[in-house]
Amino acid sequence: MKKITLILFLLINIAFSQEQDYTNVFSNFDSIQKSSLTYHTNRLITVFNYEFVKSKKDSLREVTMTMKLDSIGKFNLIYIEKQNIDLQAFFTTLLEKIPSVEILNSNNKKAVNEFITCKFKLYPNADVSKLNAAIFEKETDTIKAIKELDIYPSFGNFKKNTNKEKSLNEFNKNITKHIQDNFIYPEYAINNNITGKTFVYFVIEKDGSVEKIIVTQAHPVLHFTGIDIISKLPKLKPGMIDGEPVRVSYGLPLTFRFK
């Protein structure tokens, strides 16, 4: 028994000590969706989680950061909030290992010099094998598009309706009201006449919580309003397929303009 335990211990440590090769991770362009900025940022967050577990840090972290996709397709860290400044070197070093990518923007043209702001959690005890499977698209617990669902997510005050169209309309209406109730135009943007349209993407988990908030397009100072609004969403009733809760992606534009 001791011998088996020792072998398992050695195998685990060998796996943790091996440096992951990400050369081919960000080169899968077999669909428009897989060449989008949000898709690759989502996968990049999974890479962050995988490497965070390997680094053997012992506390859960909630991170908000801004990256820039430069003219040669490299992700660069340009901002991380103060409470996680000790992770700056961790992210910078890891992003240097990620190869250049060719990503399409909303107009299906090559994205260059684009900013991405995201908020996500790093779990020190996450399942490494599941994270690895997600990185290389071999996972079974995939994030579903909202159109794939049998029952759409809903707010706690809304009784789920068997009419899918009505149910989705009600969910969209509640999201819109939440945005209107929590929208604050950034003072810096007002003072500097900054306008634009951002795109906000997030994942509704199986328990109804919201994670992996990603904001793209327009000036990065506008991104933080989107992050703040979605962070304030209440716990939702999750989407369902075949009677089981599933992870669901949802995205919407957020426009900043002066009236």
Side-chain angles (χ1 to χ4, degrees), residues 25 33 134 218:
V25 172
Q33 182 237 351

Side-chain angles (χ1 to χ4, degrees), residues 150-167:
D150 297 329
I151 299 176
Y152 294 121
S154 62
F155 283 66
N157 61 349
F158 176 66
K159 187 177 180 180
K160 287 183 178 177
N161 196 299
T162 53
N163 184 309
K164 289 185 68 176
E165 184 178 356
K166 185 175 180 180
S167 177

Side-chain angles (χ1 to χ4, degrees), residues 146 149 151-161 167 171 204-210 233-240 244-246 248:
I146 201 159
L149 305 181
I151 299 176
Y152 294 121
S154 62
F155 283 66
N157 61 349
F158 176 66
K159 187 177 180 180
K160 287 183 178 177
N161 196 299
S167 177
F171 181 68
I204 303 168
E205 295 290 344
K206 292 180 181 180
D207 64 355
S209 62
V210 171
L233 276 170
K235 196 165 188 177
L236 304 169
K237 292 181 179 178
M240 311 276 282
E244 296 292 330
V246 293
V248 185

Side-chain angles (χ1 to χ4, degrees), residues 46-185:
T46 306
V47 170
F48 292 157
N49 265 279
Y50 177 80
E51 294 290 344
F52 185 75
V53 175
K54 286 176 60 180
S55 71
K56 299 183 179 180
K57 298 185 186 298
D58 59 2
S59 61
L60 183 147
R61 296 292 191 95
E62 188 168 62
V63 179
T64 300
M65 61 189 289
T66 300
M67 298 177 289
K68 183 179 181 181
L69 184 70
D70 65 22
S71 59
I72 62 170
K74 289 283 289 182
F75 288 97
N76 298 277
L77 178 67
I78 64 168
Y79 166 82
I80 186 168
E81 77 275 57
K82 288 182 180 179
Q83 61 264 36
N84 287 307
I85 198 69
D86 61 306
L87 293 176
Q88 183 173 357
F90 166 80
F91 287 117
T92 300
T93 302
L94 184 51
L95 287 173
E96 288 173 355
K97 297 177 183 178
I98 303 299
S100 296
V101 293
E102 186 168 308
I103 291 176
L104 303 181
N105 60 22
S106 57
N107 297 317
N108 290 334
K109 295 181 179 179
K110 183 179 177 181
V112 293
N113 298 322
E114 297 234 15
F115 294 96
I116 313 102
T117 301
C118 43
K119 182 177 181 179
F120 55 92
K121 291 178 181 177
L122 295 173
Y123 296 92
N125 299 315
D127 188 319
V128 175
S129 60
K130 287 184 178 180
L131 289 171
N132 188 270
I135 292 169
F136 292 94
E137 299 187 303
K138 297 177 182 178
E139 80 276 31
T140 55
D141 188 20
T142 55
I143 298 172
K144 306 297 183 183
I146 201 159
K147 63 183 180 181
E148 299 179 68
L149 305 181
D150 297 329
I151 299 176
Y152 294 121
S154 62
F155 283 66
N157 61 349
F158 176 66
K159 187 177 180 180
K160 287 183 178 177
N161 196 299
T162 53
N163 184 309
K164 289 185 68 176
E165 184 178 356
K166 185 175 180 180
S167 177
L168 182 58
N169 288 341
E170 188 69 24
F171 181 68
N172 289 336
K173 186 170 74 174
N174 275 305
I175 287 285
T176 300
K177 184 179 185 305
H178 175 81
I179 291 171
Q180 291 170 343
D181 290 345
N182 292 278
F183 184 89
I184 299 175
Y185 211 116

Side-chain angles (χ1 to χ4, degrees), residues 1-10:
M1 185 66 183
K2 288 183 178 179
K3 187 175 182 180
I4 294 173
T5 303
L6 179 60
I7 291 171
L8 286 173
F9 176 79
L10 289 172

